[in-house]
Amino acid sequence: MGMWSTRRRRVVAVLAAAALPAIGALATASPARAGEYIYWTCHTPTGQVTSIDGWTASNTTSDGTHAYTGHTCAAGGQGAISAVFGDGGGSFASGTGVLWSFAAPAGTRIAHVNLRRDTSVPQNGTANEGDANNGTTGAVFYKNGFGYDGDHVVEACQRFTGCTGAGSARLAFDNDGPQSSIGFEAGCYGDVVGSCNGVAGAVRASASVLWGELHLVDASNPTVTSVGGSAVGATALKGTESLTFNAADVGSGVWQAQVTMDGTAVSPRATLDTNDGRCVTTPYYGGAYAGAEFGYAVPCKAAVSAALSLDTTRVANGSHLLQATVWDAAGNSVVAVSQRVDVENPASGGGPQGGGAPNGTGADLATAHFTTKKKTTTRSVAYGSKVKLTGTLRDKKGKAVKGAAVDVLAGPIPSGATGTKIASVTTDKKGRFTYLANTLADNTVVFGYATALGSSAYLDGRTVNVRVHTAVSLKASRASVARGRKVVFTGTVKAGILPRTGAIVKLRVLQQGRWVVGAVVHTDAAGRFRWTHTFRVPLRYGFKAEVLETDGLSVRPGSSALIHVRVR
C-alpha cells in the first residue's frame, strides 16, 4: 500500500487542496522528446493486446477472497488491470488495501502518463463502513512514488469525501518528481483505529487501468564494440560486403541498425533482434508520433551481435562516406562506423538502380516520377471511413509505368533513414495505384518508388498526412412540417473513444442566409444525441451538427453534412 494518512481529517484536507490535473486528456500523439518511447500497457486503445511488463501487485489485507488484484489483458479491448476491495464482505483495518505499482526500468524514467482508467466507490453501505469506525473506502492514483499529499496524489475517490474522477475516463499527467514510479490502489482510509466492512453483494471500492500509455525516457546512447567484416579496412568494395559488430544499451535496449553511403541506404534500417516479439513496434499513432511504440517496458535486448550485408550496387563507383548507425528503442543513436571507401563495381550494362529486376514496364524507369506536383499533401477524413489514397507513376514523356511496386511506408521518415515499410501497392496499365488509408487516428503515409524491385533506394516519393476527425451524422424526423409542429433531430458521433460525459455537439441553424446556434447538447456514451424543436416561422431552414473541442476525444472535432427542413 501507499503511505496512508493516519488522520481522516488530513485525508479530507488533501482532497480539497490538491491541485489535480484535468481528467480526460486527448489521445493525440505527443511530440517525442529526445530518447523517448511509448510503452503501451495491457492493450492499445484499439484493443491490440500488449503486456503488463513492470507492473507489480500487492495485498496488505490478508484477505485474498474479498480484496484482490488481477488482470484480463488477454481479452484485448475488454481487458484491464484491476484492484478490487471489499468484494461481497470482509472486515479491513484502516491503512490496508490492494495495490498495483509500476517502476521505470533501470536506465529510464517516466516522463508522461496517459491512462484509460475506471474507478468505482459506491455511495451506499452500512454505518460500520464509515464514520462509526472512522474508516472510509477509497481508490487513489499516484505519481512520483507514493504518498498521500499533493505531490503524489493524481486522483482520489472516497465514499465520504467524494470523487475527483469516477467512472471510465482518461487520466493524463506528467510524472515530474524524482521517483519514477506510478500506481493505483483501493482500500480503507482513516484513523489508526478505523476500519471498513464489506457488504454482501457489493464491491466497496475498485480501480482499474484498461490501457496505459507510458512515455519512458532513456537518456543514454547505445555503445558499439568489435567492429569487423569485409567492409572494414578494405581498399575497394564491390557487390555485397559485410559489417559485423556488438552493440549494447542500458535502458530500452538495442533496436535497429542501418548502413549508408553518402546518405544513400545500402542496407535497410532493420531490427537487429526481435527479442521473441518484444522488440516489435505496436503502432497506434503511426506517423503522428515521432518515437517508437512498444508493448513492453524493456522491449529490446540489452546486448546483441549483428551481421549486416551492404549492397554497394546502390551507389555509383567512386569514393563514398560509409557510415553505420545503431539505434536503441528510444531513438538514441551512435555512429558505429564512419570511413571513406572506394566502390569499384563492374559495369552493369545500364540496369536499374539497386541491381535488382526492373520495377515496372512500358516507360523509361530512370525518369519515372509521381505526377502530383506537391511532395506533401494533407487529407482530412472522417473516423472509420473508407478513404483511398491514389497516385500515378509516369516517365518524363508521360508514359505510364505499368505493374510497378510502390512501397508504402509509415512516416514521417527522418533524414537519412529509409523508413518502415507497411505495405506495397501495384500500378495498373495507366500507372495508377490505390491505398486504403488508416482512418482511426492521425497518421502519415509515404509512397516510394525505386527502379529495382526490392530496393529501398527510392527515385521519387510522396507524403500524405492523414488527419482524422469525428464522423458525425444528423437527420430530421420530417423534411417538411407545418408551423407549430415539432421536429426531432437525431444523430451520432463516432470517434473511437468519447469523453466519459459524452461529446459536446453544437446544432447550428441556417435561416435566411445567416447561421445561428439552435442548441448545444451532449451525446450519450454511445455517441448518440437528440434535439426536439418546435417551428414557428415558415422558412426553409438548414441544419448542421458540429462537435466541439472536448477533453477525451481521441480524434479531431468534425461536423455533419447540411440537411434541410421546410416549414409551411
Side-chain angles (χ1 to χ4, degrees), residues 285-304:
Y285 290 124
Y289 176 70
E293 306 169 60
F294 298 94
Y296 292 84
V298 183
C300 305
K301 287 186 175 180
V304 299

Side-chain angles (χ1 to χ4, degrees), residues 36-37 57 66 101 108 128 146 160 184 188 230 285 317 362 385 432 564:
E36 182 179 290
Y37 63 104
H66 300 106
S101 62
T108 71
N128 287 335
F146 296 90
F160 288 100
F184 62 96
C188 182
S230 62
Y285 290 124
N317 287 343
S385 60
R432 300 174 302 192
H564 291 90

Side-chain angles (χ1 to χ4, degrees), residues 72-418:
T72 55
C73 295
Q78 303 301 314
I81 310 171
S82 302
V84 181
F85 181 80
D87 184 2
S91 179
F92 308 94
S94 176
T96 64
V98 283
L99 165 73
W100 279 100
S101 62
F102 173 83
T108 71
R109 65 176 178 84
I110 305 170
H112 181 73
V113 179
N114 189 14
L115 304 175
R116 180 75 176 187
R117 63 95 183 94
D118 191 288
T119 305
S120 176
V121 180
Q123 300 296 298
N124 59 349
T126 66
N128 287 335
E129 204 281 309
D131 287 331
N133 284 345
N134 294 315
T136 178
T137 53
V140 182
F141 283 79
Y142 295 104
K143 67 175 183 177
N144 303 329
F146 296 90
Y148 211 94
D149 55 47
D151 293 331
H152 299 86
V153 174
V154 178
E155 180 179 271
C157 186
Q158 292 186 5
R159 178 172 174 260
F160 288 100
T161 57
C163 297
T164 58
S168 179
R170 303 294 278 275
L171 175 63
F173 55 92
D174 290 327
N175 195 73
D176 47 11
Q179 299 184 59
S180 207
S181 60
I182 61 172
F184 62 96
E185 60 191 356
C188 182
Y189 299 77
D191 287 347
V192 176
V193 297
S195 64
C196 303
N197 296 329
V199 178
V203 172
R204 302 321 281 138
S206 67
S208 300
V209 168
L210 285 72
W211 53 256
E213 175 189 344
L214 310 184
H215 290 239
L216 302 178
V217 173
D218 172 359
S220 62
N221 294 328
T223 58
V224 173
T225 58
S226 305
V227 177
S230 62
V232 178
T235 57
L237 306 183
K238 61 181 179 180
T240 301
E241 303 282 2
S242 65
L243 179 66
T244 61
F245 55 84
N246 295 329
D249 182 73
V250 176
S252 58
V254 181
W255 183 26
Q256 294 181 327
Q258 184 178 47
V259 183
T260 61
M261 286 188 180
D262 300 332
T264 298
V266 292
S267 76
R269 178 167 171 171
T271 300
L272 296 177
D273 192 311
T274 62
N275 195 17
D276 295 326
R278 297 168 63 101
C279 193
V280 175
T281 57
T282 307
Y284 169 73
Y285 290 124
Y289 176 70
E293 306 169 60
F294 298 94
Y296 292 84
V298 183
C300 305
K301 287 186 175 180
V304 299
S305 296
L308 305 180
S309 295
L310 291 60
D311 182 4
T312 66
T313 64
R314 294 186 179 183
V315 297
N317 287 343
S319 178
H320 299 277
L321 176 62
L322 171 70
Q323 289 186 311
T325 305
V326 178
W327 289 267
D328 66 14
N332 301 305
S333 63
V334 62
V335 177
V337 175
S338 183
Q339 65 182 48
R340 300 297 305 185
V341 296
D342 289 325
V343 173
E344 297 179 3
N345 282 306
S348 62
Q353 181 183 6
N359 186 16
T361 61
D364 177 13
L365 302 187
T367 62
H369 62 279
F370 297 106
T371 57
T372 51
K373 292 183 179 180
K374 291 185 177 180
K375 292 285 187 180
T376 301
T377 56
T378 299
R379 289 285 303 273
S380 179
V381 302
Y383 174 86
S385 60
K386 291 185 177 181
V387 176
K388 295 179 179 179
L389 305 181
T390 61
T392 304
L393 198 60
R394 298 183 181 275
D395 68 9
K396 66 178 181 181
K397 294 183 178 180
K399 293 182 178 180
V401 182
K402 308 172 186 177
V406 176
D407 287 349
V408 184
L409 306 104
I413 301 174
S415 177
T418 58

